[in-house]
């Protein structure tokens, strides 16, 4: 029995590492496609969808899907306490590839911010409460329609709507937290929906058809809608900002909101000890510190060397630069 458990953990470890490799690489491959598409048409940052005709973008999407499938499979073999923290490896993969392939340099303080993000996220994940076992879609629906989670969904919907209709047009191309905030907030709802759909598929394969219940289809529609929104605004973030910064900040915010949503929905916070709660709070402070450092130093590694800085606008994130100045920055 012990050998079987060890073998399962090794399989889960391999799948989790593979997932990080695929997902980390997908950020780079998708941005390569976005850059090619921008040269041939309207960029994603300005509302264009020419990237849909770019093979590199689709290769990145396939890589991301493969990573998510591997990550989902890893949970079938190894405990979440082993699999989830390994998601931070995708940040390292993305940063290293961005450094060598896209020539997007991280300043030393950016590297420190990335390290703080990884440490903080890992601390939270390792001490997060375990989810209760779910045995039916109706049980998930009951949890999802309780007052606490309904309030969370309403708050997420309000914040996403404010970001989309109030700040995307005016601040989206200057402040990456607008795009990433939308992706992360929607992502926390996506994960809850994916869990419900996953349970439905698992039970259906075992002979108990869950697709005869309307709850299953509602969860499916929620997952599709949230995923499409995430993809749209993640494309905008990648097309506008440094990939080596987008990847860790997105991971941190997505992980944080997902843990919050899970705690509210499954109410496992009641089983935590004071030391666990204190560790999670320290993790959040570490994440906030790393995110702030990343955000404030995101352009320090991309300063043009030959005085080209004078040919650009004063705002490092302003996309109204001339084509030549954009080339120098990249």
């Amino acid at each position: 029995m012990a050998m079987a458990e060890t073998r399962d953990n090794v399989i889960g470890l391999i799948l989790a590492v593979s997932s990080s490799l695929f997902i980390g690489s997908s950020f780079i491959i998708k941005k390569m496609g976005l850059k090619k598409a921008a040269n041939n048409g309207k960029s994603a940052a300005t509302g264009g969808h020419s990237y849909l005709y770019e093979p590199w973008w689709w290769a990145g999407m396939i890589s991301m899907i493969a990573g998510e499938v591997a990550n989902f499979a890893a949970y079938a073999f190894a405990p979440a306490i082993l699999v989830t923290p390994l998601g931070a490896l995708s940040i390292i993969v993305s940063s290293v590839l961005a450094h060598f392939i896209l020539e997007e340099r991280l300043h030393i303080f950016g590297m420190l911010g990335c390290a703080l993000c990884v440490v903080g996220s890992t601390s939270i994940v390792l001490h997060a409460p375990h989810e209760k076992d779910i045995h039916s879609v109706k049980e998930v629906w009951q949890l999802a329609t309780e007052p606490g989670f309904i309030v969370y969904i309403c708050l997420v919907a309000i914040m996403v709507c404010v970001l989309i209709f109030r700040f995307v047009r005016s601040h989206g191309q200057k402040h990456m937290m607008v795009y990433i905030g939308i992706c992360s907030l929607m992502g926390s709802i996506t994960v809850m929906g994916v869990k419900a759909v996953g349970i439905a598929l698992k039970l259906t394969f075992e002979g108990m058809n869950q697709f005869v219940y309307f709850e299953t289809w509602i969860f499916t529609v929620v997952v599709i809608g949230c995923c499409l929104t995430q993809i749209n605004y993640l494309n905008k973030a990648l097309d506008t900002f440094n990939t080596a910064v987008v990847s860790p900040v997105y991971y941190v915010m997505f992980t944080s909101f997902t843990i919050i949503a899970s705690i509210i929905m499954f109410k496992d916070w009641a089983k935590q000890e004071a030391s666990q709660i204190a560790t999670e709070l320290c993790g959040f402070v570490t994440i906030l510190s790393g995110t702030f450092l990343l955000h404030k130093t995101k352009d320090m590694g991309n300063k043009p060397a030959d005085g080209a800085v004078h040919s650009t606008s004063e705002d490092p994130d302003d996309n109204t630069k001339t084509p030549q100045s954009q080339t120098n920055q990249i």
Side-chain angles (χ1 to χ4, degrees):
M1 177 66 71
M3 291 184 62
E5 291 180 354
T6 301
R7 183 184 62 187
D8 286 348
N9 281 349
V10 170
I11 294 174
L13 176 63
I14 293 173
L15 286 169
V17 172
S18 299
S19 171
S20 294
L21 290 174
F22 279 119
I23 293 175
S25 300
S26 73
F27 281 97
I28 307 304
I29 299 172
K30 286 173 66 177
K31 181 151 189 178
M32 291 172 62
L34 289 168
K35 290 171 68 176
K36 288 179 177 292
N39 292 332
N40 299 324
K42 196 175 182 181
S43 67
T46 56
H49 295 88
S50 58
Y51 59 84
L52 294 174
Y53 301 98
E54 178 54 52
W56 279 105
W57 185 85
W58 284 107
M61 279 300 300
I62 292 172
S63 178
M64 178 170 284
I65 292 171
E68 295 297 345
V69 170
N71 188 60
F72 179 82
Y75 284 101
F77 291 94
I81 197 172
L82 172 64
V83 177
T84 307
L86 292 177
L89 293 177
S90 63
I91 297 174
I92 300 173
V93 172
S94 179
S95 298
V96 171
L97 292 179
H99 179 86
F100 289 104
I101 297 177
L102 301 179
E103 298 184 359
E104 294 181 350
R105 313 299 182 185
L106 263 183
H107 191 271
I108 185 63
F109 292 111
M111 296 179 185
L112 176 60
C114 185
L116 288 172
C117 289
V118 173
V119 171
S121 296
T122 303
S123 176
I124 290 177
V125 171
L126 288 176
H127 294 86
H130 296 289
E131 295 179 347
K132 62 173 65 175
D133 294 331
I134 304 296
H135 304 288
S136 70
V137 170
K138 286 186 173 294
E139 185 177 347
V140 181
W141 179 261
Q142 181 178 359
L143 293 171
T145 53
E146 291 188 355
F149 195 67
I150 290 293
V151 170
Y152 178 79
I153 292 176
C154 292
L155 289 175
V156 167
I158 292 171
M159 287 188 287
V160 168
C161 288
V162 169
L163 288 173
I164 291 176
F165 298 109
R166 175 64 180 85
F167 293 106
V168 163
R169 187 180 296 272
S170 59
H171 295 82
Q173 295 189 28
K174 295 181 180 180
H175 303 284
M176 68 176 180
M177 299 304 290
V178 175
Y179 292 147
I180 296 178
I182 295 171
C183 294
S184 302
L185 288 165
M186 296 297 287
S188 66
I189 304 299
T190 302
V191 171
M192 301 300 105
V194 166
K195 185 174 182 65
V197 174
I199 291 172
L201 289 171
K202 178 176 180 293
L203 294 175
T204 298
F205 289 143
E206 291 176 353
M208 296 174 285
N209 187 5
Q210 299 294 299
F211 287 88
V212 297
Y213 304 120
F214 75 91
E215 292 92 343
T216 302
W217 294 104
I218 292 178
F219 283 125
T220 302
V221 171
V222 168
V223 169
I224 294 173
C226 290
C227 283
L228 290 176
T229 303
Q230 285 179 258
I231 291 171
N232 182 43
Y233 287 99
L234 182 58
N235 283 336
K236 293 179 183 291
L238 289 172
D239 198 36
T240 308
F241 303 102
N242 191 321
T243 308
V245 179
V246 171
S247 179
V249 174
Y250 174 63
Y251 169 79
V252 167
M253 292 188 65
F254 171 77
T255 301
S256 300
F257 283 122
T258 298
I259 290 175
I260 292 172
S262 181
I263 290 175
I264 294 173
M265 184 169 175
F266 298 107
K267 299 180 179 61
D268 291 323
W269 54 269
K271 301 178 182 178
Q272 286 193 290
E273 298 177 355
S275 60
Q276 291 177 302
I277 297 175
T279 303
E280 290 174 15
L281 291 175
C282 291
F284 271 114
V285 172
T286 305
I287 284 176
L288 292 175
S289 302
T291 302
F292 177 81
L293 195 57
L294 274 170
H295 187 64
K296 289 299 181 182
T297 63
K298 63 180 180 296
D299 295 298
M300 292 179 66
N302 292 327
K303 298 282 187 182
D306 298 323
V309 66
H310 298 295
S311 65
T312 66
S313 64
E314 294 183 358
D315 187 346
D317 289 330
D318 189 356
N319 282 348
T320 60
K321 308 184 192 86
T322 63
Q324 181 61 42
S325 66
Q326 287 183 332
T327 302
N328 290 335
Q329 187 176 17
I330 294 174

